Amino acid sequence: MTKTKSAESQKSETPKSETREFQAEVAKLLDLVVHSLYSNREIFLRELISNASDACDRLRYAALTDPKLLEDTSGDFAIHIGIDKPSKTLTIADNGIGMNHDELIANLGTIAKSGTAEFLKSLGEAKSDGGKAKDVNLIGQFGVGFYSAFMVADQVEVVSRKAGDAEGWTWSSNGQGAFTVAAAGAAPRGTRITLHLKKDAEEFLGTPRLRQIVKTYSDHIALPVILDPIKDESDKNERDAEPETLNSASALWMRTKNEVTADQYKEFYHHVGHAFDDPWHTLHYHAEGAIEYTALLFIPTQKPFDLFHPERKGHVKLYVNRVFISDQLEGLMPRYLRFVRGVVDSSDLPLNISREMLQNNPILRKIQAGISKRLLKDLKDRAEKPEDYAAFWEAFGAVFKEGLYEDFERREELLDLARFKSSGADGLVSLKDYTARMKEGQEAIYYITGESTLALKASPQAEGFLAKGIEVLLLADPIDEFWVPTVATYDKRPFKSVAEAGTDLSAIKAAEEEKGEAKDEPQAGEIAAVVEKLKASLGEAVADVRVSSRLTGSPVCLVADTGGMSLHLARMLKQHGENAGPAIRKVLEINPKHPLIKRLGSVGGDALNDAAHLLLDQARIVEGEAVPDPAAFAKRLSAFLEKGLTS
Ligand code: ADP
Ligand code: MG
């Protein structure tokens, strides 16, 4: 009993001061930040101001349900920058939500997300193709922006008091492996960060320099960023200087388009999207009518690193009357547009309801519909320039295609916006292009799925189609396995896989019908005998052996039986440890015109058996499957090679 009690009391007791080691990931990151990032260091200020602004947004939101949290400030939020020349320190202070003891440790000592690893990786990539200037810029994108303070400071102190708490805490570190957390007594609400600047970073004590940095990177911050009068006894001139607001301090999205420059849009995009590239597209509008809202949305140029992570946050922030509500709200953006970043602000949404209830609010749904409509319209306009549009498609097409099965209402529109690699053209083609080029007698839109477009183009299943000049869409995104069966048709034409058994190509007119082909045609009886021999030899290894019209150059290929899952999908599911259901029925198709197949008519016994298995293994390899018995395969192949070489 006593034991339990003491253990419990030990657990609840927070030491007044303690030193802890950084999580290994953070230590590694800090080492890099401190020792190798020297250019573009000014972005530390952007990161700290961005955190301060987030902290104020969060308190403003929390105060909606608990106004006491605001204490006596009545919601006047601001970020103060203080310069102390004699002690060479720069402070950045906010009156936002603050951090308590545990939050200081968790937020400034560990990284919850996979931030560091990804950041380090991207540094490596960026280094190989350019200078360092670009490198540091990425830091905010990976949720590790705070640590950029150590680029300019060799000692950082963070004094923070969480809104609603009586006492504050100090976090301090020199960035070398460990940090200390100690009780700070009655600190002001919010967070004050003091940077003891490195010798070579004293430029950041200059007013003009700070003015320029804030203007460049943080002008769009909706709170005032105020430079406090400089404390410097030796400098009499500055003694009665006034506090100076360095930024415009108004919500950028509420301005009209012609009040915002391209650079301001870009900086805002960097802030809101935690991004560093140029926006590929900017959409800014005020919707009026039944529902009023303002949207400022960006489509990035580059694919964000975490686009496919399931736990990834949304990047469109919802504001209600300039009050930040959430950037995690499902229902604000359709999932297939999750690469979009930006801000939506509406005064028509209720403020005092939970996020969960907001998610299902019919007004939110209407806003989503409005946003989707505008974005798709803009995409349609930009698709007029195929090269420009291709850049978008290469980056986000795989995500966008999720909409083909998720957004039933806009399916036709999305199909028109989709682009594909195809056997019929070098670049990307649209379904409109495809259907306009369809052959006489061709009823379906033919496609093939697999791992790479290059392999698909050379696959035996597509051979016969290509030989006849029939265009085949080459679908190499995993998502393609899922949308095609759901969509089923485009413009009343069915999608049909060339890798499915039972495709009859004879109805389609070839580009140029080959002459004298009939001569090659083996007797029906002969080929039926070959089929029977192969079936007997292969037994259970295949579901069936059939004569095919799809092959021209290859002797055999594997296809999935009609109506079943494609071989590629089955392989994908298996790779991901998913249960693909009952084993898929594979059919070996043979090319009756191929000399090798014809020769099989006159062999039997072991030679036939070996040839049958070699042909099946060969088909498996071409299909991208593993050979189930590599030793037997090698033995048979060697035997055949030996014969071939000696004769
Ligand atoms: P990010 O801002 O992307 O989450 P950072 O490294 O910039 O990553 O900050 C880490 C975390 O530290 C923030 O998510 C936040 O919880 C906390 N934090 C940083 N600065 C402040 C601040 N001024 N006030 C309150 N919390 C802060
Ligand atoms: Mg940050």
Side-chain angles (χ1 to χ4, degrees):
M1 270 289 143
T2 345
K3 229 179 176 178
T4 325
K5 204 174 170 190
S6 81
E8 250 172 25
S9 62
Q10 211 176 30
K11 206 177 152 201
S12 61
E13 205 175 274
T14 309
K16 285 273 172 242
S17 174
E18 62 176 317
T19 299
R20 289 180 177 237
E21 278 181 14
F22 283 113
Q23 181 192 26
E25 262 205 312
V26 179
K28 202 161 135 199
L29 173 74
L30 278 170
D31 188 58
L32 178 99
V33 164
V34 173
H35 295 113
S36 26
L37 301 177
Y38 301 111
S39 48
N40 217 335
R41 293 189 300 176
E42 65 199 34
I43 60 105
F44 79 92
L45 194 59
R46 172 187 75 191
E47 294 303 324
L48 298 183
I49 289 176
S50 152
N51 285 350
S53 154
D54 287 350
C56 294
D57 276 350
R58 274 155 58 205
L59 177 54
R60 198 183 269 144
Y61 178 72
L64 292 175
T65 41
D66 189 1
K68 284 200 304 294
L69 291 176
L70 292 177
E71 299 170 4
D72 51 1
T73 55
S74 69
D76 279 338
F77 291 102
I79 300 164
H80 285 265
I81 299 183
I83 298 173
D84 186 338
K85 283 185 175 163
S87 60
K88 302 197 171 31
T89 58
L90 185 67
T91 55
I92 293 97
D94 64 68
N95 52 356
I97 191 126
M99 285 173 276
N100 61 24
H101 173 266
D102 292 357
E103 286 166 341
L104 279 170
I105 293 173
N107 296 339
L108 311 184
T110 62
I111 302 171
K113 303 149 246 175
S114 54
T116 335
E118 304 276 4
F119 178 59
L120 295 176
K121 200 172 129 231
S122 78
L123 276 186
E125 277 162 15
K127 252 180 205 160
S128 55
D129 74 344
K132 269 188 192 151
K134 180 167 133 202
D135 302 356
V136 201
N137 231 328
L138 314 180
I139 201 163
Q141 192 197 3
F142 297 94
V144 292
F146 169 77
Y147 302 105
S148 65
F150 288 96
M151 291 194 294
V152 297
D154 44 25
Q155 177 73 30
V156 176
E157 269 142 40
V158 180
V159 180
S160 196
R161 179 167 69 80
K162 181 150 189 175
D165 285 3
E167 311 244 294
W169 291 89
T170 302
W171 176 103
S172 59
S173 175
N174 60 4
Q176 316 265 356
F179 61 90
T180 301
V181 180
R189 184 197 72 218
T191 304
R192 167 186 299 269
I193 299 179
T194 304
L195 307 174
H196 296 262
L197 295 174
K198 292 180 183 175
K199 271 232 148 44
D200 65 0
E202 286 171 18
E203 55 177 293
F204 299 112
L205 293 171
T207 312
R209 184 82 171 99
L210 291 174
R211 224 180 252 138
Q212 172 248 333
I213 301 174
V214 173
K215 250 322 194 213
T216 311
Y217 297 107
S218 310
D219 192 51
H220 53 78
I221 294 283
L223 317 168
V225 178
I226 299 165
L227 182 64
D228 288 338
I230 295 173
K231 264 191 238 153
D232 186 349
E233 256 102 77
S234 66
D235 191 347
K236 300 243 169 8
N237 297 336
E238 304 222 44
R239 202 189 291 157
D240 48 21
E242 293 286 316
E244 178 188 347
T245 301
L246 301 180
N247 64 335
S248 310
S250 75
L252 182 102
W253 60 91
M254 295 312 288
R255 300 182 212 165
T256 57
K257 258 192 202 170
N258 51 21
E259 289 174 305
V260 187
T261 66
D263 274 349
Q264 284 172 323
Y265 274 134
K266 185 170 144 182
E267 235 356 278
F268 182 73
Y269 160 67
H270 289 178
H271 165 73
V272 77
H274 286 270
F276 60 92
D277 55 341
D278 285 353
W280 179 79
H281 188 72
T282 303
L283 169 63
H284 186 192
Y285 68 96
H286 305 280
E288 274 159 23
I291 295 170
E292 290 186 16
Y293 66 92
T294 297
L296 173 50
L297 303 170
F298 304 94
I299 298 174
T301 303
Q302 288 177 17
K303 200 189 317 206
F305 72 95
D306 55 356
L307 205 51
F308 291 99
H309 293 191
E311 77 279 17
R312 185 178 172 279
K313 279 192 207 172
H315 278 293
V316 176
K317 299 189 176 197
L318 178 72
Y319 284 73
V320 173
N321 261 335
R322 250 75 71 231
V323 176
F324 172 69
I325 303 296
S326 176
D327 56 3
Q328 316 253 23
L329 213 60
E330 283 195 30
L332 179 57
M333 294 298 290
R335 277 186 47 74
Y336 67 92
L337 295 177
R338 66 180 176 278
F339 47 83
V340 173
R341 277 99 205 285
V343 165
V344 174
D345 192 338
S346 174
S347 42
D348 286 339
L349 284 166
L351 256 180
N352 287 310
I353 63 171
S354 72
R355 280 175 203 167
E356 290 67 36
M357 280 176 64
L358 199 54
Q359 232 148 262
N360 299 315
N361 187 290
I363 298 174
L364 191 76
R365 239 173 287 140
K366 287 198 179 122
I367 293 177
Q368 193 216 69
I371 294 172
S372 307
K373 197 170 150 201
R374 293 290 293 247
L375 279 168
L376 296 186
K377 186 190 159 290
D378 279 15
L379 284 174
K380 192 172 169 205
D381 291 344
R382 293 200 60 171
E384 303 273 324
K385 292 201 183 110
E387 258 176 54
D388 174 42
Y389 191 68
F392 159 76
W393 192 259
E394 296 291 346
F396 302 113
V399 174
F400 191 84
K401 280 188 278 187
E402 291 174 18
L404 294 174
Y405 62 76
E406 277 177 0
D407 194 345
F408 183 74
E409 268 174 52
R410 294 188 190 79
R411 181 170 287 170
E412 291 306 314
E413 211 178 330
L414 298 180
L415 281 169
D416 278 329
L417 287 169
R419 295 292 179 271
F420 307 91
K421 297 259 170 59
S422 159
S423 67
D426 282 338
L428 293 166
V429 306
S430 68
L431 291 172
K432 250 203 190 85
D433 298 337
Y434 184 100
T435 48
R437 288 196 286 257
M438 277 168 59
K439 295 262 163 244
E440 211 186 307
Q442 179 182 351
E443 269 159 21
I445 298 169
Y446 289 105
Y447 69 92
I448 180 167
T449 56
E451 273 101 90
S452 81
T453 43
L454 215 63
L456 289 177
K457 218 170 168 173
S459 79
Q461 288 97 336
E463 258 172 29
F465 292 81
L466 302 187
K468 279 205 158 197
I470 302 168
E471 187 169 358
V472 177
L473 298 177
L474 312 169
L475 309 183
D477 285 321
I479 193 75
D480 294 322
E481 288 287 357
F482 301 99
W483 70 260
V484 185
T486 339
V487 170
T489 62
Y490 170 77
D491 198 15
K492 303 205 183 73
R493 283 139 172 140
F495 285 92
K496 209 156 190 290
S497 167
V498 303
E500 199 173 272
T503 308
D504 182 14
L505 293 181
S506 55
I508 305 172
K509 256 216 176 125
E512 306 137 27
E513 291 284 0
E514 283 168 54
K515 285 178 194 127
E517 206 184 72
K519 257 192 287 169
D520 279 5
E521 212 69 62
Q523 295 297 317
E526 269 172 46
I527 198 71
V530 172
V531 167
E532 285 316 312
K533 282 193 209 177
L534 287 174
K535 268 193 203 170
S537 202
L538 295 173
E540 295 288 292
V542 291
D544 201 2
V545 177
R546 290 176 203 157
V547 177
S548 162
S549 64
R550 82 178 79 224
L551 295 165
T552 54
S554 308
V556 292
C557 74
L558 270 181
V559 295
D561 208 355
T562 328
M565 195 186 290
S566 80
L567 299 183
H568 175 239
L569 176 58
R571 215 159 43 241
M572 246 167 54
L573 293 174
K574 205 170 150 202
Q575 273 161 12
H576 287 87
E578 304 275 348
N579 180 6
I584 190 153
R585 291 170 50 83
K586 290 172 198 166
V587 175
L588 186 72
E589 291 196 346
I590 61 170
N591 179 356
K593 290 177 226 160
H594 199 282
L596 190 53
I597 299 295
K598 287 193 216 160
R599 284 270 291 279
L600 290 179
S602 54
V603 288
D606 282 352
L608 177 85
N609 191 47
D610 283 347
H613 281 93
L614 273 175
L615 282 169
L616 175 59
D617 281 344
Q618 175 190 326
R620 284 178 174 135
I621 291 169
V622 173
E623 178 58 33
E625 299 210 344
V627 171
D629 187 350
F633 168 71
K635 214 166 136 195
R636 286 191 184 113
L637 187 60
S638 301
F640 266 84
L641 280 174
E642 210 183 315
K643 261 186 249 160
L645 291 174
T646 47
S647 66

